[in-house]
């Protein structure tokens, strides 16, 4: 009995939801809808900005604050002659919408779970996982032709007369599509991890 009463209530609720409004004017409904839309768009933007800040990416997670951020601070991408700085977000998160939002949602969930489980909570665990994590980043960058590097470094804007002979020679390879930035420039913001030796690899837990 109770079940059919409940079903009846649900049905009535949906009928009410789908029926045209007798009380509210179309203008009022449009305003409420517009307001709800604006709140969610602005809310998303604020969340993207807050979770993309240098402080959040570098310090919110113990693993970032202890291992990757200190290394980044030693690199030329953190402080250099001209004072142009590349931060976590610049290199690691897509810049184009809506891809950025999907990427952040997915990375946010997997990273938060891994952080809570303490996957890289100690130096020892981090050293063990580092090769695997670096490879995820490298694969991503190879997959998108190092798009994030290119938001700052434009080969068209490179003055070859100011570059070393070696750079100019090697750089012909990306013009011909044979290589992308990350194929040659790893370890540009962190210490480059070394591939574990086969014995360590076998011993590492899957
Ligand atoms: C936010 C802008 C920005 C982004 C994104 C960026 N860079 Fe840089 N990069 C710079 C600046 C500025 C310098 C100059 C630093 C200096 O004067 O020493 C630099 C320097 C370099 C250098 C030469 C000196 C060094 O530190 O080794 C290389 C190589 C390089 N970047 C590669 C990369 C690669 C590869 C990526 C992508 C993973 C990347 N950059 C992403 C701004 C950026
Ligand atoms: C095939 C290998 C290769 C590829 C691909 C490559 N580079 Fe380089 N790059 C080099 C070499 C070699 C140097 C010279 C390093 C040196 O002189 O210490 C260099 C130097 C640089 C420098 C420093 C220039 C200077 O004189 O200070 C920057 C910045 C740079 N590369 C950015 C990039 C970016 C951005 C990409 C992708 C668009 C890229 N490179 C792709 C090999 C490569
Ligand atoms: C100039 C580009 C650049 C910047 C800035 C940068 N990273 Fe990275 N990051 C990379 C690259 C490239 C790799 C892949 C490994 C390598 O080549 O060093 C990487 C790897 C990582 C890894 C995997 C572990 C490892 O060390 O390989 C983590 C975690 C990470 N970055 C977090 C951060 C955080 C947090 C920040 C900001 C504090 C940051 N990165 C800033 C380019 C960057």
């Amino acid at each position: 009995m109770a079940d059919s009463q409940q079903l009846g209530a649900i049905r009535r609720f949906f009928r009410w939801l789908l029926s045209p409004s007798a009380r509210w004017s179309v203008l009022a409904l449009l305003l409420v809808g517009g307001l709800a839309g604006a709140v969610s768009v602005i809310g998303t933007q604020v969340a993207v900005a807050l979770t993309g800040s240098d402080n959040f990416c570098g310090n919110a997670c113990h693993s970032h604050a202890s291992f990757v951020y200190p290394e980044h601070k030693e690199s030329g991408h953190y402080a250099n002659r001209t004072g142009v700085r590349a931060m976590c977000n610049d290199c690691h998160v897509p810049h184009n919408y809506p891809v950025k939002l999907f990427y952040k949602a997915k990375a946010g969930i997997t990273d938060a779970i891994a952080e809570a489980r303490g996957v890289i909570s100690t130096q020892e665990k981090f050293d063990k996982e580092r090769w695997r994590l670096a490879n995820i980043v490298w694969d991503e960058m190879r997959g998108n032709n190092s798009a994030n590097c290119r938001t700052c470094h434009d080969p068209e804007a490179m003055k070859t007369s100011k570059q070393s002979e070696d750079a100019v020679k090697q750089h012909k390879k990306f013009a011909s599509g044979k290589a992308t930035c990350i194929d040659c420039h790893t370890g540009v913001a962190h210490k480059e991890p070394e591939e574990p030796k086969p014995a360590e690899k076998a011993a590492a837990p899957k």
Side-chain angles (χ1 to χ4, degrees):
M1 273 323 249
D3 273 5
S4 70
Q5 259 173 9
Q6 252 173 6
L7 266 177
I10 293 171
R11 225 174 272 140
R12 271 198 304 282
F13 173 71
F14 273 100
R15 212 173 294 141
W16 172 77
L17 206 62
L18 294 173
S19 64
S21 161
R23 188 176 317 168
W24 302 92
S25 68
V26 172
L27 182 65
L29 291 172
L30 282 176
L31 284 178
V32 170
L35 191 70
V39 166
S40 69
V41 168
I42 295 167
T44 306
Q45 280 308 311
V46 171
V48 164
L50 287 178
T51 58
S53 72
D54 303 348
N55 191 31
F56 182 87
C57 299
N59 294 321
C61 288
H62 160 78
S63 55
H64 282 181
S66 321
F67 313 124
V68 275
Y69 199 14
E71 284 181 8
H72 172 44
K73 283 184 176 156
E74 296 294 316
S75 81
H77 276 111
Y78 186 81
N80 53 61
R81 187 175 56 87
T82 51
V84 182
R85 176 174 286 174
M87 278 306 293
C88 326
N89 219 11
D90 298 318
C91 288
H92 285 293
V93 184
H95 292 222
N96 52 325
Y97 281 85
V99 182
K100 186 186 183 85
L101 296 177
F102 301 135
Y103 186 95
K104 281 182 78 83
K106 182 167 168 280
I109 292 166
T110 45
D111 290 3
I113 293 173
E115 182 77 8
R117 286 176 54 216
V119 174
I120 49 171
S121 54
T122 64
Q123 183 74 53
E124 203 191 354
K125 286 188 192 169
F126 178 64
D127 290 343
K128 231 180 202 162
E129 293 295 326
R130 189 157 200 182
W131 178 253
R132 178 179 67 84
L133 296 173
N135 271 280
I136 297 174
V137 177
W138 291 331
D139 286 347
E140 228 171 69
M141 290 182 175
R142 275 186 213 116
N144 64 17
N145 193 13
S146 315
N148 283 49
C149 314
R150 288 167 184 266
T151 58
C152 289
H153 296 280
D154 179 0
E156 296 277 311
M158 285 180 180
K159 199 165 190 167
T160 48
S161 62
K162 296 229 167 200
Q163 291 184 334
S164 66
E165 235 174 82
D166 197 20
V168 178
K169 192 168 137 240
Q170 292 298 319
H171 282 179
K172 293 214 169 88
K173 292 191 183 155
F174 60 63
S176 63
K178 282 201 192 99
T180 184
C181 321
I182 201 67
D183 288 324
C184 300
H185 296 291
T186 47
V188 286
H190 320 280
K191 226 163 54 186
E192 190 177 340
E194 273 178 43
E195 184 165 8
K197 293 171 198 77
E200 285 174 30
K201 244 198 242 169
K206 280 271 139 65

